[in-house]
Amino acid sequence: MAIRKKSNKSPPVLSHEFILQNHADIVSCVAMVFLLGLMFEVTAKVSIIFVTLQYNVTLPATEEQATESAFLYYYGIKDLATVFFYMLVAIIIHAIIQEYVLDKINRRMHFSKTKHSKFNESGQLSAFYLFSCIWGTFILISENYISDPTILWRAYPHNLMTFQMKFFYIAQLAYWFHAFPELYFQKTKKEDIPRQLVYIGLYLFHIAGAYLLNLNHLGLVLLVLHYFVEFLFHISRLFYFSDEKYQKGFSLWAVLFVLGRLLTLILSVLTVGFGLARAENQKLDFSTGNFNVLAVRIAVLASICITQAFMMWKFINFQLRRWREHSTFQAPTVKKKPPVTKGRSSRKGTENGVNGTVTSNGADSPRKRKEKSS
């Protein structure tokens, strides 16, 4: 009777490698659970909190303003559930762009490990910045921000938002929250994690601050401005990886980066320092979302100024490093010529050319001289 040997294989578990290779499928299954929950009456009340925007109000139509009722939104604690769901969507979109676009380009270009990670980072961010710029610009035009800049501070607090405005902020928070698990999924190096955490934390701090303090109008304008400048940087870096001679994009980005910092400070001071400071209602009221008090205004301006100073400091260091690398690369290698001495050694040096290499204009070789003498 044959005796069966016990198998040493352990049952399949969610190992580290399994999660890394199949994280997009796992996240897709979790997102599908929320979508399928909308189909059943028992679970629809819970699923709808994750999938759709919450806290909507209907303003009746008036003869002066509009012929139809307006549907507006405000924020609340349930927005965290919506942010979580769209964070899952951002992870799925991230994986799609990585697999079907960036990985195919990487196989063709044969980048090194360092360039490979930077190319992936710039590819993902340039797609996000471009999409956010187009979306934000559409909101600015549709709500007449460009034609009437006083809308940035007029009628504060801006606690009621249109669907596009609230969805834009939910998407922004979801994207930058999704960057935390992506550090694990993309196997980010340990030395790069602190830089990435600071980078992500600054975005979340300012976006959430504008959202919670009802400064969504100012936050939208500053985000579009900042995203446009960052898009130029990352798209220039993508072109630089394909052709290292390409430097024009960085020059244009450097000029716009400085202008972007100046415009950010001007708009912030104009809105918070002058517009809100002259408003009639300057009382702290959590029920109406009014945070127009001196302490909050100082904190907002201080955070913006410190962030802009930090970015300028990083920018100056980046430009100095590029200037050093460029000057080192372009510096000609000056080699000392051997001293010319009289006699046989000088003739030999002349015959062998510069630095002992035979040139086409040099003298005949010793073998040829022997043939001539014969």
Side-chain angles (χ1 to χ4, degrees):
M1 184 176 179
I3 300 175
R4 293 182 180 178
K5 295 182 178 179
K6 292 183 178 180
S7 176
N8 294 327
K9 293 183 179 180
S10 59
V13 293
L14 292 176
S15 63
H16 171 73
E17 292 296 330
F18 178 82
I19 294 174
L20 288 179
Q21 294 175 3
N22 303 278
H23 71 275
D25 297 332
I26 297 172
V27 173
S28 299
C29 293
V30 176
M32 284 300 297
V33 170
F34 294 109
L35 293 176
L36 292 174
L38 296 173
M39 301 174 62
F40 305 98
E41 188 176 355
V42 179
T43 57
K45 293 182 180 180
V46 178
S47 296
I48 202 170
I49 298 175
F50 289 87
V51 179
T52 62
L53 300 182
Q54 302 298 307
Y55 305 106
N56 61 322
V57 293
T58 303
L59 298 181
T62 59
E63 296 180 358
E64 297 178 357
Q65 294 180 356
T67 58
E68 296 181 357
S69 300
F71 298 94
L72 301 176
Y73 296 81
Y74 58 97
Y75 67 80
I77 192 66
K78 293 181 182 179
D79 289 342
L80 294 175
T82 313
V83 170
F84 175 75
F85 175 77
Y86 286 100
M87 181 189 72
L88 301 179
V89 175
I91 293 175
I92 297 170
I93 296 174
H94 188 114
I96 292 172
I97 295 175
Q98 185 66 45
E99 182 176 355
Y100 292 100
V101 180
L102 299 178
D103 285 347
K104 290 184 178 180
I105 298 175
N106 281 322
R107 293 190 196 102
R108 292 180 181 179
M109 302 301 294
H110 303 288
F111 290 129
S112 61
K113 289 184 178 180
T114 304
K115 283 188 176 181
H116 179 81
S117 61
K118 290 183 178 180
F119 181 85
N120 290 337
E121 179 186 1
S122 292
Q124 294 286 349
L125 289 175
S126 59
F128 169 71
Y129 288 145
L130 177 62
F131 175 75
S132 297
C133 277
I134 296 173
W135 189 5
T137 305
F138 172 77
I139 298 173
L140 292 176
I141 295 173
S142 62
E143 298 192 11
N144 298 323
Y145 283 70
I146 299 175
S147 59
D148 187 11
T150 60
I151 200 173
L152 294 176
W153 62 83
R154 195 178 67 235
Y156 180 85
H158 307 135
N159 52 353
L160 294 179
M161 298 171 280
T162 61
F163 175 83
Q164 290 289 343
M165 176 74 78
K166 179 164 183 176
F167 195 26
F168 178 83
Y169 273 94
I170 293 292
Q172 296 300 311
L173 292 171
Y175 181 86
W176 291 111
F177 271 117
H178 112 282
F180 288 116
E182 285 296 339
L183 296 177
Y184 173 74
F185 296 146
Q186 299 298 324
K187 301 179 182 179
T188 307
K189 296 179 181 179
K190 290 183 178 179
E191 56 269 21
D192 292 337
I193 290 178
R195 177 182 65 87
Q196 293 286 350
L197 291 177
V198 172
Y199 189 73
I200 298 167
L202 285 174
Y203 274 108
L204 287 174
F205 174 76
H206 287 87
I207 294 172
Y211 187 65
L212 296 175
L213 295 177
N214 291 318
L215 293 170
N216 41 64
H217 293 182
L218 176 64
L220 176 64
V221 174
L222 297 184
L223 275 177
V224 171
L225 177 63
H226 177 74
Y227 283 170
F228 177 72
V229 177
E230 289 297 297
F231 168 73
L232 286 179
F233 171 75
H234 287 285
I235 202 69
S236 299
R237 192 159 74 162
L238 291 176
F239 283 113
Y240 174 77
F241 287 147
S242 60
D243 184 8
E244 293 188 354
K245 295 181 180 179
Y246 181 83
Q247 299 285 343
K248 295 180 180 179
F250 289 114
S251 302
L252 177 62
W253 165 77
V255 175
L256 293 179
F257 182 88
V258 177
L259 292 177
R261 305 287 69 77
L262 291 175
L263 283 175
T264 298
L265 291 174
I266 291 172
L267 290 174
S268 300
V269 173
L270 184 64
T271 302
V272 181
F274 290 95
L276 295 181
R278 295 179 179 179
E280 296 180 359
N281 188 5
Q282 295 191 17
K283 293 181 180 180
L284 184 64
D285 189 356
F286 292 99
S287 60
T288 60
N290 186 13
F291 301 94
N292 187 16
V293 293
L294 181 61
V296 175
R297 292 199 301 269
I298 292 175
V300 169
L301 286 177
S303 63
I304 292 175
C305 292
I306 291 172
T307 303
Q308 301 308 307
F310 173 75
M311 293 175 66
M312 280 300 300
W313 177 68
K314 299 285 288 184
F315 170 77
I316 292 171
N317 288 335
F318 174 77
Q319 292 296 328
L320 289 175
R321 187 171 63 252
R322 283 187 65 242
W323 177 75
R324 289 185 193 130
E325 292 175 356
H326 185 70
S327 60
T328 303
F329 180 76
Q330 297 260 343
T333 55
V334 180
K335 295 184 178 180
K336 294 182 179 181
K337 294 182 179 181
V340 179
T341 56
K342 296 181 180 180
R344 188 176 177 181
S345 59
S346 62
R347 182 182 177 185
K348 185 177 180 180
T350 309
E351 291 170 356
N352 291 339
V354 180
N355 294 331
T357 57
V358 179
T359 59
S360 59
N361 297 328
D364 298 331
S365 64
R367 187 172 180 180
K368 289 184 179 182
R369 290 201 305 272
K370 187 175 181 182
E371 291 176 358
K372 286 181 181 180
S373 61
S374 61

